[in-house]
Amino acid sequence: MTAEMYWLPIIFMALMGVAILAYAILDGYDLGVGILLPLNNESQRDTMIASIGPFWDANETWLVLAVGLLLIAFPSAHSAVLYHLYIPAVIMLIGLIMRGVAFDFRAKVAADYKYAWDCTFKAGSLITTLAQGYMLGLYVMGFRTDLEAQLFTLLSCFGVTAAYSLIGSAWLIMKTEGELQKRAIRWARTALKITFVGIIAVCIVNPIVNQGVFDKWFVYPRVMFVLLIPIVTLNLFVFLYFLLNRLPRVNDSYSWVPFVGVTGIFILSFIGLGFSFYPYIVPWNVTIWEAASAPESLKFILVGALIVVPTILMYTIFAYRIFRGKATELKYY
């Protein structure tokens, strides 16, 4: 194997990993906001929608990028993965369509129908999140369909939903104030506990059902280094638990810290998951080198990726800089 045949698949796997992680964090918080949308308070719903209004559509760009990289750089893996995830992927797309339609229609329909579209936005967010959790669980279980695997995917559904609710509530703590911020803090406290239980369950189950994962995490001397990931993650959970019990503070200080802390948990969890399965792109069946396109194709695609990815990063940073600060009253012109 030549150097380019070895490194090009790793580069594209890293790019795809960055895209998936960016999607989980950025679209994760706006999905979480949708899940948390209170049906008993129209004013709070408007403020919550306003907090994600400038960002939510662009956040999905990272999902398109990740799927595009999988299709072009690892076509055989794309076929294998989509073969097993076709139905939940369709359900996820239905949820995303519901969100997109509801977001626009709630601003255009008569006042009597606004509540119905808010419910649709909330339902679309929940459907999307549950579908993503199911796909993640099925992937971790190596696309098995036995009862044990289905129970794990069910756990994954609720775990991902809780995690998105956690980062969504952390976003609201940072972007809102007053009674809605206090309500977001209460949501975050509950979601933090459920997410912690979910991550602990995955950490226990994954090495038990996957011998390869067990060997990666619990072989000396590697175990001395890789266990830093769960240790740091645990410390972040403890830190956030005590911080959330002390918010809100005078002058709204530290309101940004929960979002940064939850982002850290997402990053560490993703690193742990990636480490568990590397170098397999289809768990325990196909490695990134076996699934990769020809080196000539990868080199050609890499030129485009090196243009597209920085461009997406730049306009994402620009948008978040322009619309920084607290969300204000939602207005349509």
Side-chain angles (χ1 to χ4, degrees):
M1 182 183 296
T2 63
E4 66 179 18
M5 291 176 64
Y6 179 81
W7 284 107
L8 281 172
I10 293 177
I11 292 171
F12 274 93
M13 190 66 184
L15 288 173
M16 193 169 70
V18 169
I20 294 172
L21 178 59
Y23 173 78
I25 294 171
L26 298 179
D27 206 41
Y29 80 71
D30 70 56
L31 282 166
V33 170
I35 294 169
L36 296 170
L37 213 63
L39 300 180
N40 61 349
N41 193 313
E42 182 177 350
S43 175
Q44 289 186 356
R45 292 200 301 272
D46 284 344
T47 303
M48 291 170 67
I49 293 292
S51 75
I52 64 173
F55 315 111
W56 76 277
D57 207 10
N59 290 341
E60 295 174 0
T61 304
W62 294 102
L63 178 62
V64 176
L65 177 63
V67 175
L69 288 172
L70 178 63
L71 172 62
I72 298 171
F74 307 102
S76 59
H78 178 273
S79 300
V81 170
L82 208 61
Y83 172 80
H84 295 283
L85 301 182
Y86 181 78
I87 293 177
V90 170
I91 294 173
M92 180 189 72
L93 290 174
I94 292 172
L96 290 173
I97 291 170
M98 290 172 64
R99 277 167 49 86
V101 172
F103 191 92
D104 287 331
F105 274 41
R106 75 182 301 276
K108 297 177 175 63
V109 298
D112 293 343
Y113 298 101
K114 184 178 177 182
Y115 178 80
W117 287 112
D118 285 345
C119 291
T120 303
F121 187 81
K122 185 180 181 74
S125 301
L126 186 58
I127 289 170
T128 301
T129 303
L130 291 172
Q132 290 181 6
Y134 183 85
M135 288 189 285
L136 177 62
L138 206 60
Y139 181 88
V140 169
M141 295 300 293
F143 305 118
R144 288 162 44 189
T145 56
D146 54 82
L147 178 61
E148 183 183 61
Q150 293 302 313
L151 291 174
F152 181 83
T153 56
L154 186 63
L155 171 66
S156 179
C157 286
F158 289 105
V160 170
T161 301
Y164 281 177
S165 298
L166 175 59
I167 198 168
S169 56
W171 172 262
L172 291 172
I173 293 170
M174 180 173 63
K175 296 291 288 184
T176 64
E177 49 194 355
E179 188 57 39
L180 178 54
Q181 186 186 55
K182 294 177 182 177
R183 195 171 188 180
I185 293 170
R186 293 194 295 270
W187 288 332
R189 290 170 185 161
T190 302
L192 183 74
K193 297 171 186 176
I194 300 174
T195 303
F196 178 74
V197 172
I199 289 180
I200 291 296
V202 171
C203 290
I204 293 172
V205 172
N206 200 10
I208 292 175
V209 301
N210 292 312
Q211 183 62 40
V213 173
F214 182 89
D215 294 339
K216 274 204 165 189
W217 282 89
F218 299 103
V219 173
Y220 186 84
R222 184 190 298 155
V223 66
M224 305 299 292
F225 300 97
V226 297
L227 285 184
L228 287 174
I229 296 174
I231 290 171
V232 175
T233 304
L234 175 61
N235 285 329
L236 279 174
F237 271 105
V238 173
F239 170 74
L240 287 171
Y241 174 80
F242 286 107
L243 176 65
L244 289 171
N245 286 321
R246 287 162 174 77
L247 291 178
R249 297 175 67 91
V250 178
N251 299 325
D252 202 40
S253 58
Y254 302 109
S255 63
W256 55 273
V257 176
F259 187 79
V260 175
V262 176
T263 298
I265 291 173
F266 270 56
I267 293 172
L268 289 169
S269 299
F270 185 82
I271 291 173
L273 187 64
F275 173 76
S276 296
F277 290 97
Y278 178 83
Y280 290 94
I281 191 168
V282 179
W284 320 120
N285 285 308
V286 182
T287 67
I288 58 175
W289 296 285
E290 293 170 337
S293 299
E296 295 79 10
S297 300
L298 291 179
K299 286 190 288 186
F300 179 79
I301 300 164
L302 184 60
V303 176
L306 293 177
I307 297 172
V308 171
V309 174
T311 302
I312 297 174
L313 280 171
M314 285 189 293
Y315 80 63
T316 299
I317 293 171
F318 178 76
Y320 279 87
R321 178 173 175 79
I322 291 295
F323 295 101
R324 66 187 183 277
K326 296 292 184 180
T328 56
E329 182 183 356
L330 183 64
K331 297 178 181 178
Y332 295 100
Y333 297 97

